Amino acid sequence: MTSTESTDRPYAAFPVRIGVQIQPQHAQYADIRRAVAAVEELGVDVAFNWDHFYPLSGEPEGLHFEAWTMLAAWAEATERIEFGALVTCNSYRNPDLLADMARTVDHISDGRLIFGIGSGWFEKDYDEYGYEFGTAGGRLDALGEALPRIERRWARLNPRPTRDIPVLIGGGGEKKTLKLVAQHANIWHGFGDAETIAHKHEVLDGHCRTIGRDPGEIERSAGVGDKSPEEVGKSLLDVGTRLFTISTSGPDYDLGLVREWVAWRDEVNKG
């Protein structure tokens, strides 16, 4: 813990970890597979994709691949790294089926899956694939109904998951999303500068206290996009962030920044 960190952040006891979101857009799958192998070789802790059906940037009809079939392939193609979707859209699959899919990928990987989930937001996915978009509040309510179903299905499956699958919930909504994090998640993932993240942590801690949960049980994650550790590393570290996730897109997955973050992680954890 650095001298500027508050001792009332028990989640600061987590070691620093580095994630990479390998965005499955504008690339052939062979390029994606090589990128996953490369980040594992570099020593990254977690590889993520995302759960969309179309690119989020660049050519809107560009190359793109589905998330969960890809995660099953990553389970076979990797040996050490944890992995998951950042994040699964709750709207796209029946919750019990999704629980079974996650359990299966968990077994394929010998227990390396992180179950990232959120309420969904990309309207084109919904329109093109025939899902009802509805409202943001309605989608969050649906996520709140799905999470207990997923947990119950995991408890009933034969065989059960190899471990208590870590649940990551993404999103910063203070009234609903962060309450769901307090109730169900092992990892919270958000975006923003250190001041914004610190505020979200305070809100999440409050939800934890309301239900009698130790806030220190929840690892704090933040997306850093294409920023370097020199730009945002220390400020996010000081407010309790411990999982830092870089984004990289096809067709050419540039991993130069990943190397910087891995070296920074090693220095921080060593100290």
Side-chain angles (χ1 to χ4, degrees):
M1 184 178 292
T2 68
S3 59
T4 57
E5 286 174 355
S6 172
T7 56
D8 62 359
R9 296 192 187 102
Y11 38 85
F14 283 98
V16 171
R17 302 200 295 164
I18 301 301
V20 179
Q21 186 185 55
I22 299 170
Q23 300 171 349
Q25 60 178 5
H26 308 305
Q28 295 291 348
Y29 183 69
D31 300 315
I32 297 170
R33 183 177 60 240
R34 281 192 289 269
V36 173
V39 299
E40 182 169 51
E41 179 67 23
L42 287 172
V44 163
D45 299 287
V46 188
F48 293 109
N49 61 13
W50 64 29
D51 189 22
H52 295 290
F53 306 130
Y54 292 90
L56 298 187
S57 62
E59 169 53 51
E61 301 295 324
L63 296 172
H64 202 278
F65 290 97
E66 193 276 329
W68 273 90
T69 44
M70 183 183 301
L71 292 179
W74 288 10
E76 289 280 11
T78 59
E79 296 180 355
R80 176 196 58 80
I81 202 167
E82 289 191 297
F83 62 94
L86 191 65
V87 288
T88 303
C89 176
N90 176 65
S91 306
Y92 300 160
R93 302 164 191 87
N94 171 282
D96 291 88
L97 171 62
L98 181 57
D100 201 344
M101 292 165 58
R103 181 279 309 253
T104 300
V105 174
D106 166 68
H107 274 265
I108 295 170
S109 67
D110 292 325
R112 293 182 289 115
L113 176 71
I114 292 175
F115 183 73
I117 192 165
S119 60
W121 63 272
F122 189 41
E123 190 168 2
K124 180 175 180 176
D125 283 347
Y126 287 80
D127 293 344
E128 293 283 350
Y129 277 58
Y131 298 108
E132 182 180 352
F133 188 59
T135 65
R139 293 192 299 276
L140 276 167
D141 290 341
L143 176 60
E145 294 169 1
L147 286 162
R149 286 180 60 181
I150 290 166
E151 292 164 355
R152 288 194 298 269
R153 181 57 58 185
W154 280 339
R156 294 171 60 189
L157 287 168
N158 185 15
R160 292 188 181 186
T162 65
R163 62 173 178 167
D164 291 334
I165 298 175
V167 174
L168 178 155
I169 294 179
E174 297 180 9
K175 292 182 179 179
K176 290 186 176 182
T177 303
L178 293 180
K179 185 179 292 185
L180 291 175
V181 174
Q183 294 169 336
H184 299 282
N186 306 96
I187 307 169
W188 172 67
H189 181 81
F191 298 91
D193 60 19
E195 183 178 1
T196 299
I197 293 293
H199 172 69
K200 301 296 183 181
H201 286 176
E202 291 174 2
V203 174
L204 176 54
D205 293 352
H207 286 308
C208 287
R209 287 191 291 270
T210 297
I211 65 171
R213 185 177 183 190
D214 178 4
E217 296 175 358
I218 302 174
E219 184 178 12
R220 311 306 167 95
S221 170
V224 298
D226 60 358
K227 291 183 171 61
S228 70
E230 288 74 19
E231 293 176 277
V232 298
K234 186 178 185 301
S235 62
L236 290 174
L237 183 76
D238 286 351
V239 298
T241 300
R242 288 299 178 270
L243 175 56
F244 298 78
T245 298
I246 306 103
S247 299
T248 182
S249 178
D252 300 314
Y253 291 102
D254 184 353
L255 303 181
L257 195 59
V258 175
R259 294 180 177 87
E260 293 183 34
W261 277 101
V262 168
W264 178 80
R265 173 204 65 191
D266 292 345
E267 284 298 314
V268 171
N269 286 340
K270 184 170 62 178

